[in-house]
Amino acid sequence: MMILLVAVVVCGGNVVVEGANVSYDGRSLMIDGQRRILFSGSIHYPRSTPDMWPSLIAKAKQGGLDAIQTYVFWDLHEPQPGQYDFNGRNDIVSFIKQVQQQGLYVTLRIGPFIEAEWGYGGLPFWLHDVPGIVFRTNNEPFKFLMQNFTTKIVNMMKDENLFASQGGPIILSQIENEYQNVEGSFHADGPIYVNWSAQMAVAQNTGEPWMMCKQDDAPDPVINTCNGMRCAETWKGPNSPNKPSLWTENWTSFVQGYGEDPYLRSAQDIAFQTTLFIVKMNGSYVNYYMYHGGTNFGRNPASFIITSYYDQAPLDEYGMLRQPKYGHLKDMHSAMKLCSQALLYGDLTIETLGQNLEAYVYNTNAGDCAAFLINNNSRESGVVFHGFPYTLPSKSISILPDCKTVIFNTATVSTQVSTRSMEPVIKFDSLQQWETFSETVPQFDQASLTSDTLLEQMNTTKDTSDYLWYSMSIQHDLSEDQHMLRVNSFGHALHAYVNGVLVGSQHGTRKAPGFTFENNITFSTGINNISLLSVMVGLPDSGAYMERRRSGLQEVFIEELNLTSYSWGYQIGLLGEKLSIYTEDGSSNVSWNQYDNSGTLTWYKTTFDMPEGNESIALNLGSMGKGEAWINGQSIGRYWVSFNTTGGSPSQTWYNVPRSFIKPTDNLLVLFEEEFGNPLKISLDTISINRICGHVSDVHPPKVDSWKVSDHYQWRPRPRVHLRCPQKRNITSIVFASHGDPSGDCNSYSLGECHSSNTQQIVEKACLGKRQCSIAHTTGNFGADPCPGTPKTLLVDARCE
């Protein structure tokens, strides 16, 4: 274990982390010689903008986090060998210093392979062309370059005194990432590489522990950790009794691909699994992946991954609180911290309270006692614990920091529910606003590159573009004009043209990217030109032998005639890309036309002024098809609105436009549309929280046959409904209010059989015209009990303007 220096100073009202003595034992990471329960959240610096960082970090701290976790993005920092970029969104040093300034620790996941639903798993594409290289195995070219970059990052951190041993915030680092998933594919070289990686990392002498996530054979002293949604139920635990239980990725949602529905993980499930991990597995560090997902700007996301990343995280894509997830986890953090002494220094006793009902009780010699009442049933259950009755909601854990009083239950949400709204502020609905430029479909005789085979796409484009044109010409002298064109593709999408006319398109999916295109085509007599635009939607991000992965066209047939080995011409990328017509300077390189009802492969250009205020902004591209969007030359990402989910709606309609990308006036908006989009229906929308809802219920005596409620039963104080609008907004209306037994929840509700008729009046008096208000959930507050003996609920739905 490493012995380091420690100092904490107060600066500008914030506690600034200035180092810690970081070590570990079998119970937890130890900071300043003290065991700690640490809550962490993943925020990736390139997936947000520097002006957002202070707010994101502050909200994470207010949410009860102790640390921020981030990957290091090799491809962004070394786009070409030896050429480094640490500016703007890539300024990792500035990001870490801002975390430090706000009093939080940092977990640095160097990798350098990170996966992260990021193109090539964060590896720069130029590695592909290194002679003899095999990624992530006992391969000397790869190990040399991996160590070189790791050392580069470590030395940068040392130069800025950012490791805990130097007085900095970094308390934990990671080498490699989920290597166990591919280790077997490399046979004997897999374990050799694991041991080499660990030794290489430890030899960096950072002065604090290293970890390997999802790596059961991580060698000492490197800590193995868990990734997933249910680590208390699926993980074997540390591979040594001297290592702590760390959960590196507690997925708050799940990554979404085009054509896929969002994964909605509830606040209750996250709280249950997190508490269970700490209680059952001696868990001492839990990191939420993601706490703020952010935006996949440019062409960075992996294959088929949407631009919006983990929008269902506690902080949404725009950095706004995702309620009740944010607040419910905040309450859980507070409750668990009250139990930390007992959890970290106490002895555990497990008591059976019934079928699938247990009490985990931690006691210390100093008298600390914390109890966790676990109900693993799918129904509510009543139990008696230490002589008192408790009601345990289904699939829940009640937290009792003094072994008597329930202060938090994982299934009982008292935080308000908030709903995002998008309001159009600029509409681009005028023909005069738009200019267009159409890409020319290339023909074989115009190609600067030719080959007597179908070239692999990634090796040809070197990831400089999503697009590769394959073109050929064929003589047609037959009597039949109709023929079947069949294309087998490893790519992600295809647009097929014959003699410059679109004859069809086809695409794959994230789970099955390759596909076969088939369509009847019509030839003219004489020479016919076949032009096939192969499209990639991101690089692969994982798997063994990633350097061997293929994309682009595999085979082309006209009827049974195999054209694969014919002479093919190639054009890498689009003319508009080559001329950078999405930038202010580059847009003058072509002649733009007034808007018309253009066809496929069309560039659209317009300008706009910055909307007033400071609300987040998004581009509503619901009327477009597939392509990419730029603001003032900066790509806000790929869009693919035409790729619908199973429910028939787009996977993503709104695309984040950071205000830092925008000037006060004359902002250039450029779209490249592959399909048939209608820019006259797009809009620039502001994003805000306009709906807030609170929902709390009585804590009622449990149904326990052997217990009769007596004067000794101590009721928990009834909760309150707390409503709070975003800054500069007030509560303007109460849409629904009921004290009684309303049915449903904040998502869907109606009056029940029991209702205090004056609820609306009382709530309006307490809340209207205010930014925030609090309504006591007591019978006395509403004058009388509308239904004596029945547990009550208070549900309030309000609007903010």
Side-chain angles (χ1 to χ4, degrees), residues 718-731:
R718 291 184 176 180
R720 305 171 70 90
V721 163
H722 299 280
L723 299 176
R724 182 174 182 174
C725 291
Q727 290 185 356
K728 299 183 180 180
R729 287 179 174 247
N730 294 323
I731 298 171

Side-chain angles (χ1 to χ4, degrees), residues 244 286 591 712 765:
V286 178
S591 296
H712 296 290
K765 182 178 180 181

Side-chain angles (χ1 to χ4, degrees), residues 239-463:
N239 62 17
S240 164
N242 300 319
K243 296 179 183 179
S245 294
L246 310 183
W247 190 350
T248 358
E249 292 187 14
N250 183 355
W251 302 332
T252 57
S253 178
F254 202 64
V255 66
Q256 185 181 1
Y258 288 110
E260 299 173 354
D261 295 302
Y263 184 94
L264 305 178
R265 189 182 182 196
S266 70
Q268 296 94 318
D269 183 58
I270 300 173
F272 177 84
Q273 290 294 340
T274 301
T275 304
L276 191 66
F277 177 76
I278 293 172
V279 171
K280 290 187 67 174
M281 302 290 291
N282 281 327
S284 59
Y285 171 96
V286 178
N287 177 75
Y288 301 108
Y289 190 98
M290 299 290 295
Y291 199 75
H292 164 72
T295 305
N296 290 314
F297 298 109
R299 298 173 49 250
N300 290 314
S303 303
F304 289 93
I305 301 301
I306 67 174
T307 302
S308 176
Y309 190 67
Y310 275 80
D311 183 43
Q312 294 294 325
L315 299 178
D316 70 10
E317 179 180 6
Y318 305 96
M320 295 188 291
L321 306 188
R322 173 73 69 181
Q323 298 283 28
K325 193 172 287 186
Y326 175 90
H328 192 54
L329 295 181
K330 176 181 179 179
D331 292 344
M332 182 202 67
H333 300 152
S334 298
M336 293 302 294
K337 289 299 178 68
L338 293 175
C339 306
S340 58
Q341 283 296 110
L343 282 165
L344 294 170
Y345 292 95
D347 296 319
L348 170 64
T349 301
I350 303 175
E351 302 178 20
T352 300
L353 305 177
Q355 186 175 4
N356 295 321
L357 299 166
E358 294 179 309
Y360 278 64
V361 185
Y362 286 84
N363 287 281
T364 69
N365 294 331
D368 298 294
C369 182
F372 305 86
L373 309 185
I374 303 173
N375 180 5
N376 248 320
N377 293 305
S378 58
R379 65 183 185 282
E380 179 183 281
S381 299
V383 300
V384 174
F385 173 68
H386 290 189
F388 288 92
Y390 297 87
T391 296
L392 305 183
S394 63
K395 201 69 176 178
S396 75
I397 302 175
S398 289
I399 300 176
L400 294 70
D402 59 357
C403 286
K404 297 178 182 179
T405 309
V406 176
I407 67 165
F408 181 84
N409 179 273
T410 60
T412 303
V413 178
S414 59
T415 303
Q416 74 177 22
V417 175
S418 58
T419 304
R420 243 175 16 200
S421 67
M422 282 72 167
E423 181 180 352
V425 290
I426 298 177
K427 294 184 178 180
F428 300 94
D429 54 1
S430 169
L431 293 173
Q432 287 70 37
Q433 287 177 279
W434 290 99
E435 294 179 282
T436 65
F437 171 76
S438 297
E439 285 281 327
T440 301
V441 177
Q443 298 182 3
F444 174 75
D445 58 7
Q446 300 168 336
S448 58
L449 172 65
T450 60
S451 175
D452 290 335
T453 187
L454 295 173
L455 298 179
E456 193 277 325
Q457 184 164 351
M458 289 185 285
N459 191 49
T460 305
T461 65
K462 307 300 183 186
D463 192 37

Side-chain angles (χ1 to χ4, degrees), residues 580-596:
S580 300
I581 66 173
Y582 46 82
T583 66
E584 186 173 349
D585 291 338
S587 64
S588 62
N589 290 328
V590 298
S591 296
W592 295 84
N593 300 310
Q594 286 299 312
Y595 176 83
D596 57 17

Side-chain angles (χ1 to χ4, degrees), residues 541-594:
D541 67 343
S542 60
Y545 301 106
M546 199 165 58
E547 72 284 346
R548 302 179 188 176
R549 208 73 61 85
R550 295 180 59 80
S551 188
L553 306 189
Q554 180 186 15
E555 295 178 305
V556 180
F557 294 87
I558 298 292
E559 302 294 357
E560 301 304 319
L561 178 63
N562 191 336
L563 304 179
T564 304
S565 297
Y566 278 48
S567 184
W568 288 87
Y570 296 89
Q571 177 181 301
I572 298 171
L574 308 169
L575 177 60
E577 288 180 307
K578 182 179 179 181
L579 299 176
S580 300
I581 66 173
Y582 46 82
T583 66
E584 186 173 349
D585 291 338
S587 64
S588 62
N589 290 328
V590 298
S591 296
W592 295 84
N593 300 310
Q594 286 299 312

Side-chain angles (χ1 to χ4, degrees), residues 105-127:
Y105 297 115
V106 170
T107 301
L108 192 64
R109 300 178 70 178
I110 297 176
F113 172 83
I114 60 173
E115 189 167 341
E117 291 76 52
W118 195 262
Y120 241 35
L123 302 179
F125 190 80
W126 55 261
L127 288 178

